[in-house]
Amino acid sequence: NKMAVDSITHSPDIAEATYSTGDLMAEGERITNAVAVKGGCCILQSITAVDTSDTGGTIYIVITDDSVDLGTVGSAVNAADAAADNSVAIVELSNWTDIGGAKVCTKTNIGLVCSPSSSSKHLYFGVVNSSGGDIVIGSGEDIIFKFGVVKD
């Protein structure tokens, strides 16, 4: 049990669009090597998001143990029961701070034990707009995620 601490950065390719509340913004995004060995565990300690669109609306991060179909990007989440069975966690990001050309949000002390499928070292995630309004992603803009994990 090494309990290795890692920060895993991932920038999903969120399509240039206006996303209404409840819309899926990205899915099947991989948190690479979230655990040390296939089928192992990690503790998700924190998530930091950098919104280069400077919108900063409340979003849910849906973390799953495998790459699952959460629905159609740009439409309401519509995951099948089998996909919901693969859900590990839902984390809300809502306290955004404007730092000029971007907004940053950090959720700490999550302390959630996560496990990928038995044949993988990766977790997956989707992004859902839960802001109560529109989130607009323009050309060349994205949301960059940094996942803080402790690997067992």
Side-chain angles (χ1 to χ4, degrees):
N1 291 346
K2 287 182 159 185
M3 302 304 287
V5 177
D6 199 356
S7 178
I8 303 165
T9 301
H10 182 75
S11 300
D13 186 18
I14 299 176
E16 181 180 333
T18 298
Y19 297 93
S20 300
T21 291
D23 279 359
L24 184 63
M25 299 173 65
E27 71 166 347
E29 301 295 335
R30 188 164 74 178
I31 305 171
T32 304
N33 296 319
V35 300
V37 296
K38 290 182 180 181
C41 290
C42 71
I43 300 170
L44 177 63
Q45 283 298 99
S46 63
I47 302 174
T48 295
V50 179
D51 182 355
T52 62
S53 75
D54 208 17
T55 302
T58 300
I59 55 176
Y60 287 136
I61 306 301
V62 180
I63 299 173
T64 59
D65 65 3
D66 207 346
S67 182
V68 298
D69 183 4
L70 298 174
T72 302
V73 171
S75 299
V77 175
N78 187 22
D81 291 346
D85 290 345
N86 293 93
S87 293
V88 174
I90 296 177
V91 179
E92 179 183 88
L93 298 178
S94 60
N95 294 324
W96 296 88
T97 300
D98 193 339
I99 61 167
K103 290 189 179 172
V104 177
C105 178
T106 299
K107 180 82 167 194
T108 60
N109 297 317
I110 298 169
L112 183 74
V113 176
C114 301
S115 292
S117 66
S118 61
S119 62
S120 177
K121 295 182 355 181
H122 316 301
L123 291 170
Y124 294 82
F125 72 99
V127 181
V128 179
N129 174 5
S130 59
S131 69
D134 291 341
I135 293 178
V136 179
I137 302 294
S139 177
E141 298 173 338
D142 239 326
I143 303 175
I144 303 159
F145 294 95
K146 298 175 184 181
F147 298 89
V149 297
V150 179
K151 302 177 184 183
D152 185 13

